[in-house]
Amino acid sequence: MATVKRTATIGEYFLELGNKEIEIYRIAQDGSGTLKRIDDIQGTIRMIAEEYGIERDYNMSFRQHVARLIQHINTLENKQQ
């Protein structure tokens, strides 16, 4: 079975939702493109979701919430292009 990953870049953050894990990286602001892994995934997702006006629906899992957030961000990005 193929591995499917959903990704989104939000300001200084890079979100990646894989089959097993949710990973968030901070993108270096010096232009080097270096990524630093963020350990507080839930707190960072909460902050990003608030910024985009996405409220957590507790009837869905956290993974579903992150997938919805990534889809929303990517949809906004596609509309801007």
Side-chain angles (χ1 to χ4, degrees), residues 27-74:
I27 303 168
Q29 297 300 303
D30 62 3
S32 67
T34 304
L35 299 176
K36 180 182 177 192
R37 188 175 176 157
I38 303 292
D39 291 327
D40 182 17
I41 293 173
Q42 289 192 5
T44 305
I45 292 295
R46 188 176 307 115
M47 180 190 66
I48 293 169
E50 285 177 9
E51 182 179 326
Y52 280 86
I54 302 287
E55 291 188 28
R56 171 83 194 267
D57 179 355
Y58 288 95
N59 292 321
M60 58 173 65
S61 71
F62 186 69
R63 289 182 58 78
Q64 290 171 320
H65 174 63
V66 173
R68 181 175 160 224
L69 179 62
I70 289 173
Q71 181 179 9
H72 177 75
I73 291 165
N74 287 335

